[in-house]
Every structure is written in structure tokens, then in C-alpha cells.
């Protein structure tokens, strides 16, 4: 895989549009899943994918071929997600009653989202509980846990992506796991 990435990035650097298109094909789903898990919003995740590839294209000449391409592109996508999370307005509880209408909460304002049988099959109860728990993590733990367990990156790769020492990554993974263990213990 690394040889293919290296060859494609060199070709793309020389202006080969097909090589860049192949890089997009290789990473678009991975970047989407990363962004969706971090942002929990399909539209924002799609925007992050587009912005990631736009930045990759614009800055391809800055890519250091001594590092893995996957590390570089994951760093770009992760930073874009973190930026979006920082810019978000505070969220409000759906359980809270609306000020001007007694007995009506936020849930009644959400349009119906019919789940297909295929989607139900793909998302088991356990998986949903784990995703909810990951979503409730603070951003600094959430991004590390997603990269480690959902994107299956090594600690060194996460260190490269996040531009942090491996020891910091290890600490965050450990604390994130502890948080998840406490959160999920009563449910499992």
C-alpha cells in the first residue's frame, strides 16, 4: 500500500490528475468515517472530506515523502474536524422543556428519521452504545480514540497525525479507555 501511495503522490506532484483521483478514491471513505465519528453529522463530515482533499491538492508540494501519506492526510482531516468542533455553538438538551410551550421538549421538534432494516442490521445495540460513549468523550480523547480504535492507527501514527509525543497519545488512550469503561460498565 505504501508503495502505491508513494507512486501516486509522486505522479500527482508532477501534475497527473488521474493519480490524484486514485488517491481520493483510496482515502475518501476513510476520511469520511473519521470525520463522521468525530463530528456526528453527515453533512459536516462530507464538507470535511471535500476540504481535506482541497487542502491536500493545494499543498501537495509541501508533502514530505519521508512520512506516510496516510499520516499526512489524517492529520489534515483531524485538524479540520477539531476546528469545526471548536467553532460549534453550545448544544442544548433535547430533554429540556421549551420555554414558551409547556410539556413540549426538544424530541418533539426532531423530524422522523426512518431507519431502514439494512441500517438496523449494521448497527447493533452494543455498537451504538459504544459510539454514544465515544461521542461523549472530550474532544482531546475522542479524536485519539477514533484514530486508534475506529481507524486502527498505531500509537506512532496517531502521534504523527496529532503532532504530539507518543507518551501523550498513550496517556490519552488510557484515559479515554477508562472513561469509556466507567461509562459502559453499568450498561453491559
Amino acid at each position: 500500500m505504501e508503495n502505491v501511495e508513494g507512486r501516486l503522490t509522486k505522479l500527482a506532484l508532477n501534475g497527473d490528475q488521474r493519480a490524484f483521483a486514485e488517491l481520493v478514491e483510496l482515502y475518501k471513505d476513510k476520511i469520511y468515517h473519521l470525520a463522521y465519528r468525530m463530528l456526528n453529522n453527515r453533512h459536516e463530515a462530507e464538507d470535511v472530506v471535500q476540504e481535506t482533499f482541497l487542502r491536500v491538492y493545494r499543498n501537495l508540494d509541501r508533502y514530505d515523502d519521508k512520512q506516510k501519506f496516510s499520516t499526512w492526510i489524517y492529520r489534515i482531516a483531524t485538524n479540520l474536524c477539531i476546528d469545526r468542533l471548536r467553532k460549534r455553538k453550545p448544544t442544548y438538551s433535547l430533554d429540556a422543556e421549551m420555554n414558551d410551550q409547556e410539556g413540549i421538549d426538544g424530541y418533539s421538534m426532531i423530524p422522523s428519521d426512518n431507519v431502514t432494516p439494512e441500517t438496523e442490521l449494521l448497527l447493533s445495540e452494543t455498537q451504538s452504545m459504544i459510539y454514544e460513549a465515544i461521542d461523549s468523550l472530550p474532544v482531546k480523547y475522542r479524536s485519539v480514540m477514533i484514530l486508534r480504535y475506529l481507524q486502527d492507527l498505531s500509537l506512532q501514527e496517531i502521534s504523527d497525525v496529532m503532532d504530539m509525543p507518543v507518551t501523550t497519545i498513550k496517556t490519552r488512550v488510557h484515559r479515554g479507555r477508562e472513561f469509556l469503561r466507567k461509562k459502559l460498565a453499568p450498561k453491559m
Side-chain angles (χ1 to χ4, degrees), residues 23-35:
L23 285 171
V24 170
E25 275 303 310
L26 274 174
Y27 283 98
K28 69 179 183 182
D29 292 336
K30 294 175 184 177
I31 299 298
Y32 174 80
H33 291 297
L34 167 72

Side-chain angles (χ1 to χ4, degrees), residues 7-8 15 17 25-26 43 49-50 59 61 65 68 70 74 84 90 94 97 107 109 126 144 151 182:
R7 183 180 55 80
L8 290 174
Q17 296 295 320
E25 275 303 310
L26 274 174
H43 298 294
V49 171
Q50 288 181 352
N59 298 302
D61 59 327
D65 61 357
K68 290 173 67 175
S70 60
Y74 276 128
R84 281 183 177 260
L94 294 174
E97 285 190 5
Y107 291 109
M109 305 300 283
T126 305
V144 170
Q151 296 297 322
K182 289 176 185 172

Side-chain angles (χ1 to χ4, degrees), residues 6-109:
R7 183 180 55 80
L8 290 174
T9 53
K10 284 178 185 172
L11 290 171
L13 268 168
N14 293 328
D16 188 337
Q17 296 295 320
R18 277 190 242 129
F20 187 78
E22 285 186 50
L23 285 171
V24 170
E25 275 303 310
L26 274 174
Y27 283 98
K28 69 179 183 182
D29 292 336
K30 294 175 184 177
I31 299 298
Y32 174 80
H33 291 297
L34 167 72
Y36 183 78
R37 290 301 342 140
M38 287 186 72
L39 301 169
N40 206 20
N41 181 299
R42 184 175 56 104
H43 298 294
E44 280 190 294
E46 290 168 354
D47 288 346
V48 165
V49 171
Q50 288 181 352
E51 182 65 24
T52 298
F53 285 110
L54 186 61
R55 288 198 183 180
V56 166
Y57 186 76
R58 284 184 187 154
N59 298 302
L60 202 53
D61 59 327
R62 294 184 188 171
Y63 168 65
D64 178 10
D65 61 357
K66 292 177 184 125
Q67 66 174 300
K68 290 173 67 175
F69 182 79
S70 60
T71 301
W72 186 59
I73 196 167
Y74 276 128
R75 178 183 293 163
I76 292 169
T78 302
N79 287 340
L80 286 169
C81 289
I82 290 171
D83 288 346
R84 281 183 177 260
L85 288 169
R86 285 184 183 144
K87 291 177 184 174
R88 279 189 179 167
K89 295 183 178 176
T91 55
Y92 299 98
S93 171
L94 294 174
D95 294 321
E97 285 190 5
M98 305 301 250
N99 289 341
D100 55 339
Q101 297 172 345
E102 193 173 309
I104 296 180
D105 60 13
Y107 291 109
S108 62
M109 305 300 283

Side-chain angles (χ1 to χ4, degrees), residues 112-124:
S112 171
D113 188 13
N114 294 334
V115 179
T116 64
E118 181 180 50
T119 306
E120 281 184 350
L121 181 64
L122 293 173
L123 296 174
S124 68

